[in-house]
């Protein structure tokens, strides 16, 4: 399938109770990261980006390949209108979630990554407590989605699994409003390759997918250890 349209699923910020309830941690989209500054400019961190990805049902997409009347083992009977040989230039198909395909990574489209960031001071207040930094960084890691997939009417909300890998780059600003507390906002773009997405639940059935994605987020943070120099 080509150029299937998908969207994320953010929880409205006014629903603050969902964000603050530990029992509902997997419902909102969130980012968590912990790192170590090995000097005043460079930080190595490990984090978890809990994004969501939902392919829109009932859309029409171009398709190529071959679909047999029966697939998998034990056999799944395919709706006859989806059977045949398809070419990208000549054929389209409607993503009927009951008879053809439903696909979403909503618990979630998880990116577990190691990142290396560079921080540079833009401004420091006279009281030496308030400051503003510019940052840029790159990361790489594993994709650990929980995928809800139904193919030809058969499937499940599968368990988390390491499905592939990803790369990312980001830039942003960090505002220190005390020696310890800061607010940071980043723009991050990435590429993910999923090589093993479970579909029907049978071990031999899986999907592959490449996704380009982008995030804009804000985080509150706390710094431990020695103070950074004002430079």
């Amino acid at each position: 399938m080509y150029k299937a349209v998908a969207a994320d699923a953010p929880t409205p910020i006014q629903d603050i109770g969902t964000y603050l309830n530990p029992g509902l941690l997997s419902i909102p989209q969130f980012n968590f990261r912990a790192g170590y500054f090995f000097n005043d400019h460079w930080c190595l961190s490990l984090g978890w980006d809990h994004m969501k990805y939902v392919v829109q049902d009932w859309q029409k997409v171009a398709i190529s390949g071959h679909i047999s009347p029966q697939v998998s083992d034990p056999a799944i009977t395919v709706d006859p209108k989806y059977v045949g040989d398809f070419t990208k230039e000549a054929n389209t198909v409607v993503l009927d979630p009951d008879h053809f395909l439903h696909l979403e990574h909503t618990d979630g489209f998880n990116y577990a990554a190691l990142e290396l960031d560079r921080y540079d001071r833009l401004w420091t207040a006279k009281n030496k407590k308030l400051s503003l930094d510019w940052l840029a960084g790159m990361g790489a890691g594993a994709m650990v989605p929980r995928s809800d997939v139904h193919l030809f009417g058969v499937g499940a909300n599968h368990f988390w699994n390491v499905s592939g890998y990803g790369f990312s780059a980001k830039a942003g600003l960090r505002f220190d409003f005390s020696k310890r507390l800061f607010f940071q906002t980043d723009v991050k773009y990435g590429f993910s390759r999923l090589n093993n997405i479970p579909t029907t639940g049978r071990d031999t059935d899986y999907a592959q997918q490449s996704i380009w994605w982008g995030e804009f987020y804000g985080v509150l943070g706390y710094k431990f250890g020695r103070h950074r120099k004002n430079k």
Side-chain angles (χ1 to χ4, degrees):
M1 298 189 304
Y2 302 90
K3 296 183 178 180
V5 176
D8 62 349
T11 299
I13 192 64
Q14 58 266 29
D15 190 8
I16 192 65
T18 302
Y19 288 93
L20 299 178
N21 187 338
L24 303 177
L25 181 62
S26 67
I27 293 179
Q29 298 183 145
F30 67 86
N31 289 28
F32 175 81
R33 183 159 297 278
Y36 175 75
F37 279 89
F38 48 90
N39 62 39
D40 285 339
H41 292 285
W42 292 97
C43 174
L44 189 66
S45 64
L46 183 65
W48 184 273
D49 292 14
H50 179 74
M51 302 175 280
K52 296 177 184 288
Y53 176 92
V54 184
V55 175
Q56 296 178 8
D57 295 333
W58 302 106
Q59 65 177 293
K60 184 182 290 186
V61 299
I63 186 174
S64 65
H66 172 79
I67 301 177
S68 301
Q70 289 190 321
V71 298
S72 194
D73 183 21
I76 300 170
T77 300
V78 179
D79 188 319
K81 66 182 178 182
Y82 298 115
V83 175
D85 294 294
F86 303 89
T87 61
K88 177 182 177 182
E89 295 75 16
N91 300 106
T92 59
V93 64
V94 174
L95 301 188
D96 181 335
D98 298 318
H99 298 96
F100 186 67
L101 176 69
H102 173 76
L103 188 152
E104 59 181 73
H105 311 296
T106 49
D107 201 17
F109 181 57
N110 299 308
Y111 176 48
L114 190 68
E115 293 185 352
L116 178 65
D117 299 332
R118 165 82 184 192
Y119 289 76
D120 286 290
R121 182 62 48 86
L122 296 177
W123 169 81
T124 302
K126 292 181 179 180
N127 63 10
K128 305 299 184 181
K129 294 182 179 180
L130 304 179
S131 60
L132 183 67
D133 285 273
W134 159 263
L135 67 102
M138 300 184 69
M143 301 305 302
V144 193
R146 182 170 186 178
S147 305
D148 187 343
V149 185
H150 288 74
L151 181 63
F152 305 124
V154 179
N157 186 9
H158 305 282
F159 289 107
W160 294 271
N161 73 308
V162 178
S163 293
Y165 58 88
F167 304 98
S168 61
K170 70 179 183 181
L173 294 171
R174 188 181 75 180
F175 178 69
D176 293 310
F177 49 91
S178 77
K179 288 289 188 179
R180 296 296 183 186
L181 297 174
F182 66 89
F183 176 77
Q184 182 170 315
T185 181
D186 296 337
V187 176
K188 180 187 290 188
Y189 290 97
F191 169 80
S192 296
R193 175 62 181 174
L194 305 181
N195 290 317
N196 183 26
I197 304 170
T199 55
T200 63
R202 289 87 181 269
D203 291 340
T204 57
D205 297 339
Y206 63 92
Q208 296 180 325
Q209 187 178 23
S210 296
I211 299 174
W212 290 92
W213 49 268
E215 295 182 86
F216 175 71
Y217 56 87
V219 294
L220 289 172
Y222 186 84
K223 294 175 287 184
F224 299 88
R226 69 177 179 85
H227 297 313
R228 182 186 177 190
K229 298 176 183 178
N230 291 308
K231 64 177 182 178

